[in-house]
Amino acid sequence: MTKRATSKYKINRALGVNLWGRPKSAINRRDYRPGQHGQARRRRLSDYGNQLAAKQKLKAYYGEIGERQFRNLYREAIRLPGDTSEFLIGLLERRLSTVVYRMKFAPTVFATRQLINHGHIRVNGKRVNVGGYMLKPGDVVEVAPKMQQNAGVLEAAQSGEREVPDFLQVDQANLKGTFLRIPSFAEVPYPVQMQPHLVVEFYSR
């Protein structure tokens, strides 16, 4: 079992939020940090601490992104003219793993990674097994036929935990959807407050 798989259940408690808004979140039972000193009083964070916490929260939300990948997305965002925080969110939301999760083809961001890595997702009719694949407006994403009757996939599609955002169009009956456009930060349905401007400040130090 990977380090991420063994620790993902502690992420919410470590960050102090129900990151994915799930009823099964561990923080709903124990709203303090894991570890020996978890119930100790949280100290007030410095400006750097707030920036670091914002970065950790945003990166953790997207599940399988490593630090190098996340920093590279920031570097790509700062090359674009305009609001870097908006471009960073746009790049994160264009990733195939994010779109599959938003379309409710998988129950969690971690299950999304497995679905893609095993070759069960198609983009414009072609199999894509890279979660970081960048989608363009108009791209069609679908679950491969052999997985369309999978219990986990069907349960996720029918779940009422999340709603499909307006920048996606999904045919849940056929497990197929279209990435309509790159969303703005305000359009992204985060269950908790995200502060991408602090992430930009963290990396630009």
Side-chain angles (χ1 to χ4, degrees):
M1 185 175 288
T2 66
K3 181 178 180 181
R4 169 66 73 179
T6 57
S7 65
K8 66 183 180 181
Y9 303 106
K10 296 180 181 179
I11 295 174
N12 284 348
R13 292 176 60 204
L15 296 174
V17 294
N18 187 346
L19 196 56
W20 299 282
R22 302 205 72 200
K24 297 179 180 179
S25 172
I27 201 170
N28 294 337
R29 299 187 302 274
R30 292 173 289 180
D31 61 348
Y32 50 87
R33 290 170 294 179
Q36 180 180 359
H37 303 291
Q39 297 188 60
R41 180 177 171 182
R42 290 179 184 260
R43 290 180 292 183
R44 184 176 180 178
L45 296 176
S46 63
D47 288 344
Y48 173 80
N50 283 320
Q51 293 164 1
L52 176 61
K55 188 267 290 188
Q56 290 175 322
K57 188 163 62 172
L58 187 64
K59 183 165 74 74
Y61 175 81
Y62 288 94
E64 95 293 5
I65 302 180
E67 177 60 31
R68 180 181 295 179
Q69 289 176 298
F70 198 71
R71 185 182 289 271
N72 286 341
L73 287 171
Y74 161 75
R75 287 172 177 161
E76 188 172 346
I78 61 174
R79 288 199 294 264
L80 301 171
D83 189 334
T84 300
S85 61
E86 285 284 349
F87 287 125
L88 177 61
I89 296 301
L91 290 169
L92 289 165
E93 290 295 319
R94 284 178 57 197
R95 300 178 83 252
L96 178 60
S97 59
T98 305
V99 173
V100 170
Y101 176 67
R102 295 260 181 253
M103 288 182 173
K104 297 173 60 176
F105 294 161
T108 68
V109 292
F110 306 102
T112 296
R113 177 183 182 180
Q114 186 177 36
L115 196 65
I116 295 171
N117 287 355
H118 289 181
H120 300 312
I121 295 296
R122 294 179 177 178
V123 178
N124 300 327
K126 297 181 180 179
R127 186 177 74 169
V128 177
N129 60 3
V130 178
Y133 179 87
M134 286 290 176
L135 295 173
K136 299 182 296 292
D139 282 349
V140 175
V141 179
E142 61 185 318
V143 178
K146 66 180 180 180
M147 281 296 289
Q148 291 194 1
Q149 297 304 313
N150 177 271
V153 172
L154 292 174
E155 183 180 355
Q158 297 163 7
S159 171
E161 280 189 16
R162 294 176 284 123
E163 297 293 330
V164 176
D166 292 340
F167 51 88
L168 303 173
Q169 186 179 62
V170 179
D171 177 359
Q172 294 290 3
N174 294 306
L175 297 174
K176 185 175 184 178
T178 303
F179 181 66
L180 299 177
R181 55 187 167 78
I182 301 172
S184 66
F185 171 55
E187 293 178 290
V188 180
Y190 293 115
V192 298
Q193 182 185 21
M194 293 295 183
Q195 298 170 297
H197 66 285
L198 292 183
V199 180
V200 172
E201 290 176 12
F202 174 83
Y203 283 124
S204 61
R205 294 175 67 90

